Structure formats: C-alpha cells, structure tokens
Amino acid sequence: MASVTATVRQGALRGKVATTHTGKTYYSFQGIPYAKPPVGPLRFKPPEPAEPWTGVRDATKEGNVAPQFSDTTQQYMGDEDCLFLNVYTPQMPSDSSSSLTPVMVWIHGGGYTVGSGNTDMYGPDYLLEHGVVVVTLNYRLGVLGFMSTGDSVVTGNMGLKDQVMALRWVKENISVFGGDTDNITIFGESAGSRACHLHVLSPMAKGLFHRAICQSSVASRGSLDAPVAERTFRLAHHLGLKQGASSEELLAFMKEVPARKLVEEMMHCRSQKDKTLQEMFPFRPTLEPAGTEGTLISEDPADIMSSGKFTPVPIIFGVTSQEGLIYAGVLGKKDAWRDLDANFDVLVPPTAAATPDERRVAAQEIRRFYLGDRPLGDDTFLQYAQLRGDYYFVYTALEVTRLHASVPAAQPVYFYFFDVETKLNIFKVMFGASKYKGAAHADDIPYLFRFGLLNPSPPNSVEGRVIARMTKLWTNFAKTGKPTPGGDDIIPVSWPAVSADHCQYLEITNDELAIKENLFKERMDFWNALHKKKAGV
C-alpha cells in the first residue's frame, strides 16, 4: 500500500494512496484526533484541542466510533475516546499546483444516538470525482454527548461542541491537504442536518464555514425544547442516584458510571409520553442557560432567524418524498398502535396547541384530516407516516426556508424535494417499509456517498445518473454557492433561490430534474391554518 505524509499542527501523519470506484487516485487520512479524548475528568465537558504527538502517527485506519448500540447487530460498540475525523483529498499541495480545493465537511445523522463518519456508510468516492476535499467526523452521542442538567453544571450539547472543535481543526489544518480554508461547506442529513442548521444559527461556529446543506431536518420553533434535563435526572435515579440530588451530585455520580452501562440503560430516561411516541432518540440538542460560558445556543431557533442574528451563508434545505416511513419499524406491535391511538393528542406538536383543550381540538382536526374516521393501525400506517413526516420534516423545513429567505441580509436559500426510487433506497428497506412508494428518510444518502458494502452503480444506470446529478449539484454549490451555475449537460435546469413569498423547489426523480412550487400544498395549508389558529391570527 503506497503511503503519503502530511504534517498538521499536532504532528506528522501517514495516510494512504487510494483509488475511487472509477480508478481516480486520492489521498486518505483517517482516525485523526481533533480533540483530547473526552474521558475521566473531561467526560460531559466541552472538548479541548488535541495534544501534539511525536513521530509519525498512523492515519491509515478509522478511529473509534462513539459508544452506541449498533443499528445492525444490536450489540454495544465504540469507545469514549472517539473524537476523530477523516480527510480524503483528490490532490496534495505541491509546487506545481498552488490552487486550493473546496472543502465539504459531513456531519452524520443517527438521532444523536448512533452512527459515525466511517466509510461503511460514507465512502467519499462519488464526491471526490468532482474535485473537492471530503471530511467526515465522529462526535459524542446519546447521554455522553447530549446530557444536560439544565443549568451551568452540564449545559448540554457537548456533541455539537465537538463538531465545532472539528471545524476549528479543519480551518487550521485543511490547507495541508490542499483544501481551501476560505471555501468550506458543512452538510449533513437528519440529526447531522439539524446540527448544520444550528451551526448557522450559533455564534460559536461563525467564520468556520461558508455554506451549508441541510438534508431532512432543521432547527425550528420548539425543536430545542425536549426535556433533556428531566431525562438526565430520570436516568441517573434509575442508575442509583439518590432522589433530591443536586446537579453537582448528578455530575459526580454519572462520571463514575461505565460508558457501556450508560448506553445500555439510556432508554430508562423516557417518560410515559416518550414511550407512547416510541421516542428512540431521547438525548438531543437543547437550549442552554443564557449567559453561561461557552454557550452554543440559548435562544429559540425561530427567534434567532426572525431577528436575523445568525451567520448569513447560502443554504440548501430539502426533504425526501416519504420522510415518515422512518416510523415503520417502530410501530410493528399491536399494543403500540393501540396505545398511540388512545393517546392521539401526544402527536400534536406544542407549536400547534398550548392548553389541554387546544390539544384535544387540534388532535381531532389532525385525525380527521389524515385518517378520516379510521383508527391508527397497520392499514393506516401510510397516513400516519405522512402525518409525522409532514409535521416533523416537511412543514418545519419549509417554514425555516421561508424564515431564512425573508431576512433582508440573507444569502440565497434553495429547496429540493427528493423523490427517487431505485435499489439504492436502502433505508426504506431497513425501516421495513419497502412496500411503500417514494423515498424514505435518509434515502438520499446513497446517491452522495458510496456505502462500503454496495458495488458502485454503472454510470449509465438510473442509479448512476442520479448519483452524477446529486453529486454535481452538491459540489457545484460547495464550489460556487450556486447549485446550478449554468453550462452543464448533467444539470439541464436552473434552480432558483426561494423568495419570502415564492417557494420554488427542485424536484429530483429517477429520470429528471424539474422546478416546481407549492410542495404538498393542501397538507401544508392544513398545518399553517392550525398554527395560525393557535396564534389567534
């Protein structure tokens, strides 16, 4: 295996020379520490910069993933020493080539509970074909990354702060790999998408990136209101912390619990409402107490957007055509359906109703609109999936897109709708929803990244053509801030930016790209009306 060396601020790295599926050479550096291991006294603390090393560090294999249960094997895996990133570059800097390459930093999804930046899901091949540097990273997950006491003792969002530390590392070091420190795009899907949006809204990451792509999840009004502190104390009490303990006592107690036990027992943090909703990702970003040191976000995202107090960068937002299919596997049991049907008001978002009476009325309206007079169950799953997908993903993404577009100083904002259906829609299969038409949540990922186990699709296949279009759009945007700068055979359309009163979007299907507007108009009008009623408009 041919090797290549690079020297970053912490020391020298030995990477490897590799080739993409088409035989194009690139340079791979994996398992690079971007922060100190968050262990011992650093557990539940903000990340600290990585220590320097002596000699040449091996960067030919991936680092540890964060502690988690594997989605596929249901086995515990990972290590607390997990703050590593990977750099893949099409060219190392040399005297003959002084031009620097645009950088794309991927933040993985997985409900802030599972996942990593590894090539088993995020192989860089397809993007590298377009001459960009690709960076993927790991960050702390679950209770270890998102526990909060609701005060200054553990402010929460440590996993997001890890990501900011990784972005700082990229800003400081990426030129060593031929990357342009003045042209960095962050992009992510699901939890990674919401993280990207939060970095746009937070002052902490200001100046560390220049564009953002948010696939399927956003930071919308109320999205940081999850009762994370309550869940933290509930879990700690379950593990043996005495009732009435202070935040300081909780922190000292939780620091002593082995990481594996924290991951294995994590779901005991859930309330009855969480269980009814089949909440699988209870630890997540949360509002931090205002005025505390090192705060990432302490104001509701919608208020930040409305006031324009965010970093104005060009953004792409978008959704898949059947986001709600993600809920298929969760509700396979009869009693789960019965429980949810009997407590239908838990499906009413707090942004649509405040009082119990409002919730009851809103629940009736939502049920009537999506289900008619039918109960929840296997035969109404598609309607249930649309209900949850519409509110949690589509409506919120469109609202956030409009908010950004209406800020006078905002940069261009684009919206896409992904409705491709081929054998690469593997998430739909994993969710147990393959009998339904459309693209499930996360089904856009395999058209951007090469999954380690999948053979690459031939360029003239439907899959190959969609991959060519998606990667061209995304890398065009990373290079220029415009997804369709023009003069391109693969991209025959001009994708317009959204305006405050005109939400045009790019529809991506198996065969074509088309510009449309008023996505899911009747369903979106329903949610608009529900929210206006609550606001008394």
Side-chain angles (χ1 to χ4, degrees), residues 366-485:
I366 293 168
R367 185 191 280 276
R368 199 176 306 122
F369 183 81
Y370 281 94
L371 298 170
D373 55 1
R374 299 159 72 195
L376 281 174
D378 288 343
D379 56 344
T380 52
F381 169 71
L382 194 57
Q383 288 77 13
Y384 169 75
Q386 284 180 345
L387 188 174
R388 300 253 345 228
D390 281 357
Y391 179 72
Y392 287 99
F393 298 105
V394 186
Y395 177 75
T396 49
L398 286 167
E399 275 298 284
V400 159
T401 302
R402 278 192 207 97
L403 269 174
H404 274 277
S406 63
V407 173
Q411 295 286 323
V413 184
Y414 301 90
F415 198 90
Y416 73 89
F417 176 68
F418 184 86
D419 191 24
V420 171
E421 192 166 8
T422 79
K423 62 176 183 290
L424 281 187
N425 291 41
I426 52 183
F427 284 91
K428 186 158 69 169
V429 178
M430 285 162 62
F431 300 145
S434 50
K435 68 180 179 184
Y436 300 104
K437 284 202 167 315
H441 184 72
D443 268 343
D444 45 354
I445 296 175
Y447 301 90
L448 293 167
F449 290 97
R450 181 181 172 188
F451 275 43
L453 301 173
L454 294 181
N455 290 324
S457 305
N460 59 350
S461 63
V462 175
E463 295 84 354
R465 285 196 295 276
V466 176
I467 288 166
R469 285 187 204 119
M470 287 286 286
T471 52
K472 195 79 195 315
L473 288 163
W474 266 226
T475 54
N476 279 347
F477 182 73
K479 291 171 184 178
T480 69
K482 293 180 180 174
T484 54

Side-chain angles (χ1 to χ4, degrees), residues 240-449:
L241 178 69
K242 68 178 191 287
Q243 292 293 331
S246 67
S247 296
E248 288 82 1
E249 288 170 318
L250 178 141
L251 175 59
F253 175 85
M254 294 293 262
K255 276 187 171 174
E256 298 303 316
V257 181
R260 179 169 187 151
K261 191 168 183 66
L262 286 174
V263 172
E264 286 177 342
E265 302 290 325
M266 192 164 65
M267 287 305 172
H268 288 282
C269 76
R270 297 184 301 172
S271 65
Q272 186 52 52
K273 179 182 174 182
D274 292 334
K275 290 172 189 169
T276 302
L277 267 173
Q278 303 287 310
E279 172 61 77
M280 301 310 294
F281 307 126
F283 287 97
R284 57 178 69 180
T286 184
L287 287 177
E288 297 173 43
T292 37
E293 193 185 344
T295 298
L296 187 129
I297 192 158
S298 58
E299 248 187 289
D300 189 274
D303 295 334
I304 296 171
M305 286 179 268
S306 299
S307 63
K309 291 186 296 189
F310 59 87
T311 308
V313 296
I315 310 177
I316 293 175
F317 292 109
V319 293
T320 66
S321 58
Q322 289 286 6
E323 293 281 2
L325 294 183
I326 189 175
Y327 300 106
V330 181
L331 284 161
K333 305 183 192 74
K334 281 248 183 321
D335 54 346
W337 279 125
R338 199 165 49 239
D339 194 21
L340 193 55
D341 198 52
N343 298 280
F344 198 87
D345 64 329
V346 299
L347 292 171
V348 179
T351 49
T355 66
D357 275 354
E358 282 178 5
R359 292 182 74 77
R360 188 174 43 76
V361 173
Q364 288 170 348
E365 289 185 40
I366 293 168
R367 185 191 280 276
R368 199 176 306 122
F369 183 81
Y370 281 94
L371 298 170
D373 55 1
R374 299 159 72 195
L376 281 174
D378 288 343
D379 56 344
T380 52
F381 169 71
L382 194 57
Q383 288 77 13
Y384 169 75
Q386 284 180 345
L387 188 174
R388 300 253 345 228
D390 281 357
Y391 179 72
Y392 287 99
F393 298 105
V394 186
Y395 177 75
T396 49
L398 286 167
E399 275 298 284
V400 159
T401 302
R402 278 192 207 97
L403 269 174
H404 274 277
S406 63
V407 173
Q411 295 286 323
V413 184
Y414 301 90
F415 198 90
Y416 73 89
F417 176 68
F418 184 86
D419 191 24
V420 171
E421 192 166 8
T422 79
K423 62 176 183 290
L424 281 187
N425 291 41
I426 52 183
F427 284 91
K428 186 158 69 169
V429 178
M430 285 162 62
F431 300 145
S434 50
K435 68 180 179 184
Y436 300 104
K437 284 202 167 315
H441 184 72
D443 268 343
D444 45 354
I445 296 175
Y447 301 90
L448 293 167
F449 290 97

Side-chain angles (χ1 to χ4, degrees), residues 75-350:
Q75 299 295 307
Y76 174 82
M77 61 189 280
D79 191 285
E80 276 193 270
D81 178 5
C82 64
L83 301 184
F84 299 99
L85 55 73
N86 312 301
V87 177
Y88 307 103
T89 180
Q91 59 173 43
M92 296 296 287
S94 66
D95 296 336
S96 61
S97 167
S98 58
S99 66
L100 293 169
T101 307
V103 180
M104 299 186 74
V105 181
W106 174 256
I107 300 176
H108 73 79
Y112 307 102
T113 304
V114 295
S116 75
N118 287 0
T119 53
D120 58 348
M121 271 180 70
Y122 305 116
D125 297 39
Y126 304 153
L127 292 164
L128 288 169
E129 294 283 324
H130 298 279
V132 293
V133 174
V134 177
V135 179
T136 63
L137 59 104
N138 301 342
Y139 54 93
R140 282 175 281 179
L141 299 170
V143 61
L144 288 158
F146 292 90
M147 171 180 120
S148 165
T149 53
D151 52 32
S152 60
V153 177
V154 183
T155 56
N157 298 334
M158 297 310 163
L160 293 176
K161 292 168 188 177
D162 294 342
Q163 296 164 15
V164 175
M165 182 63 81
L167 290 172
R168 283 196 191 119
W169 187 96
V170 169
K171 186 82 172 168
E172 287 175 359
N173 293 288
I174 206 67
S175 59
V176 170
F177 306 93
D180 185 350
T181 57
D182 294 321
N183 192 355
I184 296 169
T185 298
I186 56 172
F187 67 133
E189 186 274 339
S190 196
S193 172
R194 183 176 292 182
C196 287
H197 190 209
L198 286 167
H199 295 317
V200 172
L201 301 180
S202 167
M204 189 180 272
K206 191 179 174 73
L208 298 178
F209 63 93
H210 310 90
R211 331 187 197 290
I213 304 173
C214 302
Q215 302 174 217
S216 289
S217 189
V218 293
S220 55
R221 181 169 299 285
S223 63
L224 304 183
D225 292 350
V228 176
E230 273 176 45
R231 292 168 181 168
T232 297
F233 276 91
R234 197 179 286 119
L235 176 60
H237 294 319
H238 167 77
L239 291 168
L241 178 69
K242 68 178 191 287
Q243 292 293 331
S246 67
S247 296
E248 288 82 1
E249 288 170 318
L250 178 141
L251 175 59
F253 175 85
M254 294 293 262
K255 276 187 171 174
E256 298 303 316
V257 181
R260 179 169 187 151
K261 191 168 183 66
L262 286 174
V263 172
E264 286 177 342
E265 302 290 325
M266 192 164 65
M267 287 305 172
H268 288 282
C269 76
R270 297 184 301 172
S271 65
Q272 186 52 52
K273 179 182 174 182
D274 292 334
K275 290 172 189 169
T276 302
L277 267 173
Q278 303 287 310
E279 172 61 77
M280 301 310 294
F281 307 126
F283 287 97
R284 57 178 69 180
T286 184
L287 287 177
E288 297 173 43
T292 37
E293 193 185 344
T295 298
L296 187 129
I297 192 158
S298 58
E299 248 187 289
D300 189 274
D303 295 334
I304 296 171
M305 286 179 268
S306 299
S307 63
K309 291 186 296 189
F310 59 87
T311 308
V313 296
I315 310 177
I316 293 175
F317 292 109
V319 293
T320 66
S321 58
Q322 289 286 6
E323 293 281 2
L325 294 183
I326 189 175
Y327 300 106
V330 181
L331 284 161
K333 305 183 192 74
K334 281 248 183 321
D335 54 346
W337 279 125
R338 199 165 49 239
D339 194 21
L340 193 55
D341 198 52
N343 298 280
F344 198 87
D345 64 329
V346 299
L347 292 171
V348 179

